[in-house]
Amino acid sequence: MATINKRLKDIKRVIVVVGGKGGVGKSLIATTLSLVLSKRGHSVGLLDLDFHGPSCHTILDAKGVMPTEGEGIIPPEIHGIKLMSVVYYVGEKPLPLRGTEISNVFTELLAITKWGRTDYLIVDAPPGMGEEILDVIRLMKKGEFLIVTTPSNLALKTMSRLVKLLLEIRVPVLGIVENMRITKTKLTEELAKGLDIKYLGYVSFDYNLEGCISNPKKLLKTKFADNVKNILKVV
Amino acid sequence: MATINKRLKDIKRVIVVVGGKGGVGKSLIATTLSLVLSKRGHSVGLLDLDFHGPSCHTILDAKGVMPTEGEGIIPPEIHGIKLMSVVYYVGEKPLPLRGTEISNVFTELLAITKWGRTDYLIVDAPPGMGEEILDVIRLMKKGEFLIVTTPSNLALKTMSRLVKLLLEIRVPVLGIVENMRITKTKLTEELAKGLDIKYLGYVSFDYNLEGCISNPKKLLKTKFADNVKNILKVV
Amino acid sequence: MHEWALAEGVISTILTVAKKKDAKEITEAEIKIGCLQQIDENIFTTAFRELVKHTPLEKTKIKLKNEEAYFKCRTCELEWNLTNTTNALGREESEAIHFIPELAHTFIRCPRCGSPDFAVTRGRGIWVEHIKILK
Amino acid sequence: MHEWALAEGVISTILTVAKKKDAKEITEAEIKIGCLQQIDENIFTTAFRELVKHTPLEKTKIKLKNEEAYFKCRTCELEWNLTNTTNALGREESEAIHFIPELAHTFIRCPRCGSPDFAVTRGRGIWVEHIKILK
Ligand SMILES: Nc1ncnc2c1ncn2[C@@H]1O[C@H](COP(=O)(O)OP(=O)(O)O)[C@@H](O)[C@H]1O
Ligand SMILES: Nc1ncnc2c1ncn2[C@@H]1O[C@H](COP(=O)(O)OP(=O)(O)O)[C@@H](O)[C@H]1O
Ligand SMILES: [Mg+2]
Ligand SMILES: [Mg+2]
Ligand SMILES: [Mg+2]
Ligand SMILES: [Mg+2]
Ligand code: NI
Ligand code: NI
Ligand SMILES: [Zn+2]
Ligand SMILES: [Zn+2]
């Protein structure tokens, strides 16, 4: 614990991208947010906490890079972002882990990674509200939660469960991003109101996005990235 | 263990709907599959294993029903399907659970639920390959795995990890369903070939689907349901 | 009452243990009942006696003992027991925990810091503490 | 070599324990090293000695002891130890486990049934076994 706090000491803000539901765009938003912040001159770290389905390295097209060692582990910079992920060590192989094991991996990553002076550490969380989320709450006291959802009833319901929990235990919630909007609906905005948290705006469904995965330069030029920049203005 | 095996004894087939990735349509496909099989006269059970984001009850519009007690727990029938879910007990409230706790809930559910004579038990799995998936493998020896993915590179990569694991430990894999296809691509089919498992066909992105969630009758009339029926022919 | 399901589980455990020990007869079984689940002892006993008819456990005596439920908070490390739990449980909440003890994480909070992230350290479930056998 | 990070962790543990015990001086610390992680003892010792300069641990002796790594399969219940592991680990695989012991679940399988679902029962990580103090 003392070691972990020391490692996180020089980080100004920790933004945890969560959703409860899977496939709502957490990884794409977390990574795009990192790219945008980095382009603006901030020093940015990105921690991929989805050990069963890491995605940030794919979006950033991180290939042939490894962390360097030296009194700890220093994550490599990819397109200006210090990315930490289990993928450096397991590649494309499966990493089946039970809960306590997930907790151990997370603790270990926090204890050995040297982020150095960092303006923003973006944490890309997996779906659910299990081991990883409970450990972020327990171990990263600086964490501010950014909620991502789609306007689908199934996503909204699962997201609500998570938000209720976060509000109950009084961790900072930055607000809700509505992602993959196809047609206009007020559902997300109304739910945000009902939960008494900020509605941060929407990101449209972008049919060209798939072609920009693994190409950060193109990704930054999409309508998706423009939408994400608008969200950033509000946060 | 002995109790669990006894409870599952009278079930002919156990189909576990997995994907590794979240939001690829596991719950909608698992539930629609259940509805279709039930309409054809089979006796069908549906077990919602996504404790952090249960969805099957929403899709089936299960309201005001509860399991009945009698030498165990008998799940209520909703549109002909025996649905078991933690939602009966927690409602809309969050259920934050760590790994061992998830494992305990699952074991408990299997031990107390009386499915009775059942042709198909459909298991709707959560994303990942953690506690729930490892426990399905450990406790439900009859399980046959139906893989759901979208043609997105991010989903395909995560799905591959899971499939590699399932194949390595030699559990039955029925094949891959490609869901939410918008434009034609061969990616999923080729990946299936590369992994040496069956490509079961695709389900198109259905813009009218959202309006049919919580309305099983309408759901069965969608193009989505037609696509699911085609998949069923191959399984 | 799913006490029947619980009795079935206990019976199969006793039989497995007895077999491992090469028992000829099982004279007595001590069964521990964790208080978290609020198992009805009368129903449990009835279920047990009914289910062991015409089995090797027909004459086995059972002793039921309780174990208080204890929790430990993973956030602030407080330990507390069920009877101290500040937010008294309603009927439906008790019922939920009766079926699946882990649902406590929906309804119970650490009385000091309010965290839902706690472990049930004692008093969960029902288990066979020991059996007396003849060889 | 992240042995430096490990040494930092061990040092902060020793200091916390010593404070709890109201120690005036810490004369010795026994440190257990789980074999799973294959920690380099020379680098660890160098790091430790370097990091404790000008701290209350400057004169503390350290004793390093090893603990063999043991696994238990959750599928077939086999217990085995690292040296028995059939699929010999390559350099990159060892390296991965060196950083994060749980990555064993990618590279190690139960030698009997092939399952990746096993527990590391002993020999994980590095920890302070006990300390000798003066009050
Ligand atoms: N605004 C969007 N428009 C179109 N597709 C999107 C959008 N946001 C995300 N996606 C796609 O949705 C899928 C899930 O996104 P991902 O970032 O992996 O979600 P999560 O991390 O929440 O699981 C990916 O295939 C991604 O390409
Ligand atoms: N074929 C499809 N066309 C359009 N939307 C779909 C399709 N399949 C799933 N969806 C939508 O995608 C989201 C995720 O589906 P869901 O069944 O909850 O996935 P999972 O269980 O894998 O998380 C839901 O909002 C659902 O309505
Ligand atoms: Mg993700
Ligand atoms: Mg689902
Ligand atoms: Mg607990
Ligand atoms: Mg393990
Ligand atoms: Ni009962
Ligand atoms: Ni090292
Ligand atoms: Zn507490
Ligand atoms: Zn084994």
Side-chain angles (χ1 to χ4, degrees):
Chain A
M1 270 300 285
T3 314
I4 291 178
N5 289 334
K6 200 172 139 194
R7 297 271 178 248
L8 301 178
K9 199 172 44 74
D10 291 334
I11 300 172
K12 284 199 199 129
R13 287 182 74 179
V14 176
I15 314 268
V16 190
V17 181
V18 294
K21 181 85 182 158
V24 293
K26 295 180 291 297
S27 296
L28 264 161
I29 288 180
T31 309
T32 306
L33 207 59
S34 304
L35 283 167
V36 171
L37 288 168
S38 163
K39 282 284 166 294
R40 294 190 182 163
H42 299 290
S43 80
V44 179
L46 177 59
L47 174 60
D48 194 332
L49 261 196
D50 193 344
F51 305 142
H52 293 139
S55 297
C56 298
H57 68 289
T58 305
I59 302 170
L60 288 177
D61 195 33
K63 273 191 211 131
V65 287
M66 281 296 279
T68 49
E69 302 185 48
E71 309 188 14
I73 300 286
I74 299 159
E77 280 205 16
I78 300 147
H79 298 276
I81 296 163
K82 293 174 270 188
L83 171 69
M84 196 60 191
S85 169
V86 291
V87 95
Y88 298 128
Y89 305 110
V90 302
E92 309 270 293
K93 297 200 185 72
L95 174 58
L97 295 172
R98 284 185 179 262
T100 45
E101 294 157 357
I102 289 176
S103 187
N104 284 341
V105 173
F106 185 33
T107 311
E108 207 74 42
L109 275 177
L110 287 184
I112 66 177
T113 308
K114 296 196 109 174
W115 298 101
R117 294 212 167 275
T118 302
D119 295 323
Y120 291 93
L121 176 61
I122 311 291
V123 180
D124 181 25
M129 52 176 140
E131 211 76 34
E132 302 88 342
I133 307 294
L134 294 171
D135 272 341
V136 168
I137 295 168
R138 191 170 60 96
L139 300 172
M140 305 182 93
K141 295 295 180 197
K142 278 184 196 166
E144 304 166 66
F145 290 79
L146 182 70
I147 319 287
V148 180
T149 186
T150 68
S152 165
N153 194 18
L154 297 180
L156 293 172
K157 283 211 161 174
T158 297
M159 179 274 281
S160 293
R161 284 178 206 269
L162 176 63
V163 170
K164 282 179 197 164
L165 184 77
L166 296 176
L167 294 176
E168 185 195 335
I169 58 176
R170 279 187 242 131
V171 295
V173 174
L174 294 170
I176 299 187
V177 178
E178 176 182 353
N179 188 24
M180 298 199 231
R181 182 197 266 207
I182 295 177
T183 50
K184 206 178 148 181
T185 131
K186 287 266 168 202
L187 282 180
T188 314
E189 206 170 340
E190 277 162 14
L191 185 57
K193 215 174 186 175
L195 290 166
D196 202 18
I197 61 172
K198 226 170 167 175
Y199 175 75
L200 301 170
Y202 65 87
V203 178
S204 304
F205 195 101
D206 184 340
Y207 291 91
N208 299 315
L209 194 57
E210 188 59 33
C212 305
I213 291 173
S214 301
N215 189 334
K217 281 200 186 115
K218 258 174 88 183
L219 178 60
L220 277 175
K221 285 183 199 135
T222 53
K223 182 143 177 271
F224 175 84
D226 286 340
N227 287 160
V228 171
K229 281 177 207 160
N230 284 333
I231 303 286
L232 205 54
K233 279 184 204 150
V234 199
V235 174
Chain B
M1 271 300 286
T3 314
I4 291 178
N5 289 334
K6 200 171 139 196
R7 296 271 178 247
L8 302 177
K9 199 173 45 75
D10 291 334
I11 299 172
K12 284 199 199 127
R13 287 183 73 179
V14 175
I15 314 267
V16 190
V17 182
V18 293
K21 182 84 183 159
V24 294
K26 296 180 291 296
S27 296
L28 264 161
I29 288 181
T31 309
T32 307
L33 207 59
S34 305
L35 284 167
V36 171
L37 289 167
S38 163
K39 283 283 166 294
R40 292 189 183 164
H42 299 290
S43 80
V44 180
L46 177 58
L47 174 60
D48 194 332
L49 261 197
D50 193 344
F51 305 143
H52 293 139
S55 297
C56 299
H57 68 289
T58 305
I59 302 170
L60 288 176
D61 195 32
K63 274 192 210 129
V65 286
M66 282 296 280
T68 48
E69 302 184 49
E71 309 188 14
I73 299 287
I74 300 157
E77 279 205 17
I78 299 146
H79 298 275
I81 296 163
K82 292 174 268 187
L83 171 69
M84 195 58 190
S85 169
V86 291
V87 93
Y88 299 128
Y89 305 109
V90 303
E92 308 270 293
K93 296 200 184 72
L95 175 58
L97 295 173
R98 285 185 178 263
T100 44
E101 294 157 357
I102 289 176
S103 188
N104 284 341
V105 173
F106 184 33
T107 310
E108 207 74 41
L109 275 177
L110 288 183
I112 66 177
T113 308
K114 296 197 109 173
W115 298 101
R117 293 210 168 278
T118 304
D119 296 322
Y120 292 93
L121 175 61
I122 312 292
V123 180
D124 180 25
M129 53 177 139
E131 211 77 40
E132 302 88 343
I133 307 295
L134 295 171
D135 272 340
V136 167
I137 295 168
R138 191 169 60 95
L139 300 173
M140 305 182 92
K141 296 293 182 199
K142 278 184 196 167
E144 304 166 65
F145 290 79
L146 182 70
I147 319 286
V148 179
T149 186
T150 69
S152 165
N153 194 17
L154 297 180
L156 293 172
K157 285 211 159 173
T158 297
M159 179 273 281
S160 293
R161 284 178 206 269
L162 176 64
V163 170
K164 282 177 196 164
L165 184 77
L166 296 176
L167 293 176
E168 185 196 334
I169 58 176
R170 280 187 241 131
V171 295
V173 174
L174 294 170
I176 298 187
V177 178
E178 176 182 353
N179 188 25
M180 297 200 231
R181 182 197 265 207
I182 295 177
T183 51
K184 207 179 148 179
T185 130
K186 286 264 170 204
L187 283 179
T188 314
E189 205 169 341
E190 277 162 14
L191 185 58
K193 216 174 186 177
L195 290 166
D196 202 17
I197 61 173
K198 225 171 168 173
Y199 174 76
L200 301 171
Y202 66 87
V203 178
S204 304
F205 195 101
D206 185 339
Y207 292 90
N208 299 315
L209 194 55
E210 188 61 33
C212 306
I213 292 174
S214 301
N215 190 333
K217 282 201 186 115
K218 259 174 87 183
L219 178 60
L220 277 174
K221 285 182 200 136
T222 54
K223 182 141 177 273
F224 175 85
D226 286 340
N227 287 160
V228 171
K229 281 176 207 159
N230 284 332
I231 303 286
L232 205 54
K233 280 183 202 149
V234 201
V235 175
Chain C
M1 281 301 131
H2 82 304
E3 274 75 359
W4 285 77
L6 297 171
E8 270 184 73
V10 165
I11 290 166
S12 91
T13 308
I14 297 174
L15 289 172
T16 313
V17 176
K19 204 176 164 187
K20 261 196 196 151
K21 292 192 176 177
D22 259 331
K24 223 164 127 189
E25 209 187 302
I26 303 136
T27 52
E28 195 185 288
E30 189 181 310
I31 296 156
K32 274 279 183 88
I33 297 185
C35 292
L36 182 56
Q37 250 180 305
Q38 301 187 38
I39 291 159
D40 187 316
E41 295 190 10
N42 285 330
I43 301 177
F44 179 84
T45 309
T46 311
F48 187 93
R49 293 268 67 106
E50 191 63 34
L51 290 165
V52 294
K53 275 186 186 160
H54 316 298
T55 81
L57 297 184
E58 177 138 28
K59 298 217 171 96
T60 304
K61 267 196 267 178
I62 52 170
K63 267 198 201 167
L64 305 184
K65 294 207 172 163
N66 290 305
E67 182 178 272
E68 248 243 269
Y70 281 86
F71 306 94
K72 183 169 181 183
C73 179
R74 292 198 186 92
T75 304
C76 78
E77 309 210 318
L78 179 73
E79 300 191 57
W80 78 95
N81 64 24
L82 185 60
T83 11
N84 284 348
T85 295
T86 42
N87 50 346
L89 294 172
R91 212 187 60 81
E92 278 183 24
E93 303 176 347
S94 291
E95 189 97 321
I97 296 171
H98 172 63
F99 292 124
I100 305 170
E102 277 66 34
L103 303 188
H105 291 93
T106 294
F107 305 113
I108 293 177
R109 294 294 178 253
C110 169
R112 182 157 70 195
C113 78
S115 174
D117 188 12
F118 53 81
V120 180
T121 52
R122 296 183 63 194
R124 186 209 175 276
I126 179 166
W127 64 100
V128 181
E129 184 78 2
H130 75 255
I131 60 173
K132 281 191 192 157
I133 55 168
L134 296 178
K135 286 221 180 188
Chain D
M1 281 303 131
H2 82 303
E3 275 74 359
W4 286 77
L6 297 171
E8 271 186 70
V10 165
I11 290 166
S12 90
T13 309
I14 296 175
L15 288 173
T16 313
V17 176
K19 203 176 164 187
K20 261 196 197 152
K21 291 191 177 178
D22 260 330
K24 221 164 128 192
E25 209 187 304
I26 304 137
T27 52
E28 196 183 287
E30 190 181 308
I31 295 155
K32 273 281 184 86
I33 296 186
C35 291
L36 182 56
Q37 250 180 305
Q38 301 187 39
I39 290 159
D40 187 316
E41 295 190 9
N42 285 329
I43 301 176
F44 179 83
T45 309
T46 309
F48 187 93
R49 293 268 66 108
E50 190 62 36
L51 289 166
V52 295
K53 276 185 186 161
H54 316 298
T55 80
L57 296 184
E58 177 137 30
K59 298 217 171 95
T60 304
K61 268 195 265 177
I62 53 169
K63 266 198 203 167
L64 304 184
K65 294 205 173 165
N66 290 305
E67 182 178 273
E68 249 242 270
Y70 281 87
F71 305 94
K72 183 167 183 185
C73 179
R74 292 199 186 91
T75 305
C76 78
E77 308 210 320
L78 180 72
E79 299 191 57
W80 78 95
N81 64 24
L82 185 60
T83 11
N84 283 349
T85 296
T86 42
N87 51 345
L89 294 172
R91 210 187 60 82
E92 278 181 25
E93 302 176 348
S94 291
E95 188 97 320
I97 296 171
H98 171 62
F99 292 123
I100 305 169
E102 277 66 35
L103 304 188
H105 291 93
T106 295
F107 305 113
I108 294 177
R109 295 292 178 255
C110 168
R112 181 157 71 196
C113 78
S115 174
D117 188 11
F118 53 81
V120 181
T121 52
R122 294 183 62 193
R124 187 211 174 274
I126 179 167
W127 64 98
V128 180
E129 184 78 3
H130 75 256
I131 61 172
K132 280 189 193 158
I133 56 167
L134 295 177
K135 289 221 179 188

